[in-house]
Amino acid sequence: MLKFKLLLWALTKLLQRAAKTNPACAKYIEDKELIFQIQTVDGIGRYYTISNDRIFSSPGLFRNPKFTMTFSNAAKGFAILSAKDSKDAFLAGLQSGDLTIRGDFVEV
């Protein structure tokens, strides 16, 4: 569980760096107002806020995010989020039920 929490925190730093160094990412978050979260079924998670061309995160869960990625448990979440071939890992997680996505699929 601790590795999952640390990974979610590190994801914030990676997103913030991408917004500063990647022009496509900076353009994507420009003028965007969005809150999404990543969590486990048992309620461990973090929510991410994109606002004023910046990215922030907070521990815990948000009441009404635009979309939510929910993992069956912290170990599965860590494995999928840290996989080298993330696209295949996400698809496999969706197919197996270890990952569910709820909300606005366009924003995912």
Side-chain angles (χ1 to χ4, degrees), residues 24-66:
C25 183
K27 182 164 178 59
Y28 178 77
I29 67 166
E30 185 178 341
D31 299 324
K32 186 172 282 285
E33 298 291 327
L34 171 70
I35 296 176
F36 68 95
Q37 68 189 15
I38 301 173
Q39 67 179 61
T40 63
V41 170
D42 57 348
I44 298 165
R46 190 168 196 92
Y47 66 93
Y48 301 82
T49 305
I50 300 173
S51 181
N52 298 322
D53 303 340
R54 298 187 63 201
I55 300 170
F56 307 93
S57 79
S58 299
L61 303 179
F62 189 74
R63 183 179 212 162
N64 191 22
K66 191 77 166 182

Side-chain angles (χ1 to χ4, degrees), residues 9-10 16 22 40 47 55 58-59 61 67 72 87 90 93 105:
W9 174 82
Q16 289 170 338
N22 183 328
T40 63
Y47 66 93
I55 300 170
S58 299
L61 303 179
F67 71 87
S72 58
K87 184 178 178 181
F90 267 78
F105 285 90

Side-chain angles (χ1 to χ4, degrees), residues 76-97:
K76 290 290 185 180
F78 182 83
I80 292 170
L81 289 173
S82 63
K84 290 185 182 191
D85 191 357
S86 59
K87 184 178 178 181
D88 286 342
F90 267 78
L91 292 174
L94 287 168
Q95 188 174 20
S96 70

